[in-house]
Amino acid sequence: INSLKESLCKEFDIVYDLKKEQGEGQYEINITETENLQYLAESIANIRGFVTKYCQKHQLKADFSAKPFKEDCGSAMQFNISIHDKDQNLFYELDNPYYNSLINSLLTYSSEILFLSCAKEDEFLRFDLKNNKSLFKNKKYVAPTNYSYGVDNRSCLIRCLKNRLEYRLASSSCDVFLMLSLIHISEPTRRT
């Protein structure tokens, strides 16, 4: 894992960490923020290909499916969203009207985004309420099980933090180009 982390950080300037998650064999690749959504989507696609080839070279298997183990944590791709005006983060205050408007827009369009972004059955298995309750009892992270927002509640679709939103709908196997487009279209200022 350390060797993979070093290789990822060397190969991709957008990658800054690889860390163990709670699921069996589950790791999270952390990337830096960017305004260039095309670059972000291409980078994520290239990172997936790189990890797959790296693992094959070492007789391992990379699995980006949303629910590789039925009774364990699902694998997600969370999108962290913040809005900046010059050097000022507009999401620094949780009661900012734009922050609230974006939350409402994402919640409004998430049912459509879900069905447009989930192409495989296992992507829906992440949201199984019974499985998520069991995971929670075992002190493991859960997938969102309701269309809501909260400050530090992982059963919520949107986690509200002081400087960003975590949009937690997408699975790790999602089409990143499509997902970024759907999020971008949901922004209140993008709609007509």
Side-chain angles (χ1 to χ4, degrees):
I1 294 303
N2 287 335
S3 174
L4 175 58
K5 177 181 173 178
E6 287 175 20
S7 297
L8 279 168
C9 291
K10 183 178 177 182
E11 185 73 21
F12 300 96
D13 60 351
I14 198 169
V15 175
Y16 70 88
D17 199 8
L18 174 69
K19 64 180 185 177
K20 176 75 175 100
E21 277 290 342
Q22 293 181 340
E24 180 68 32
Q26 188 179 54
Y27 290 86
E28 177 179 278
I29 299 171
N30 296 122
I31 58 177
T32 59
E33 68 278 352
T34 180
E35 294 177 12
N36 186 335
L37 300 182
Q38 179 74 24
Y39 171 70
L40 176 62
E42 289 172 357
S43 294
I44 292 171
N46 291 334
I47 289 166
R48 284 178 178 160
F50 181 89
V51 169
T52 300
K53 289 178 184 173
Y54 184 94
C55 289
Q56 288 171 344
K57 180 180 171 185
H58 293 89
Q59 289 80 45
L60 300 168
K61 180 185 176 199
D63 187 344
F64 292 100
S65 62
K67 196 75 169 157
F69 303 106
K70 188 176 178 183
E71 301 302 321
D72 204 354
C73 297
S75 294
M77 183 177 301
Q78 75 184 31
F79 290 89
N80 294 292
I81 305 166
S82 62
I83 304 295
H84 295 260
D85 182 13
K86 298 178 182 149
D87 291 335
Q88 181 184 6
N89 184 343
L90 298 181
F91 285 179
Y92 189 73
E93 298 296 329
L94 291 178
D95 62 354
N96 178 300
Y98 193 81
Y99 191 87
N100 294 326
S101 183
L102 181 57
I103 290 169
N104 289 331
S105 292
L106 287 171
L107 289 175
T108 298
Y109 293 104
S110 285
S111 58
E112 288 87 357
I113 293 172
L114 173 68
F115 288 101
L116 289 170
S117 65
C118 291
K120 301 174 192 146
E121 183 180 340
D122 75 322
E123 291 176 290
F124 291 98
L125 295 176
R126 285 181 46 238
F127 307 111
D128 181 79
L129 184 59
K130 182 179 176 186
N131 179 246
N132 278 287
K133 283 182 177 181
S134 175
L135 291 168
F136 182 75
K137 285 180 185 175
N138 291 317
K139 299 186 182 347
K140 289 190 171 190
Y141 292 145
V142 298
T145 54
N146 58 73
Y147 282 22
S148 64
Y149 65 96
V151 174
D152 196 21
N153 183 340
R154 293 183 186 272
S155 70
C156 294
L157 184 63
I158 299 171
R159 283 182 69 210
C160 302
L161 304 167
K162 190 165 185 172
N163 61 353
R164 62 186 160 87
L165 295 177
E166 267 182 18
Y167 189 53
R168 306 179 64 243
L169 180 69
S171 71
S172 55
S173 59
C174 75
D175 178 329
V176 182
F177 292 90
L178 177 60
M179 199 63 205
L180 286 171
S181 297
L182 293 168
I183 292 169
H184 189 63
I185 290 169
S186 297
E187 287 182 48
T189 58
R190 302 283 177 215
R191 295 191 320 266
T192 56

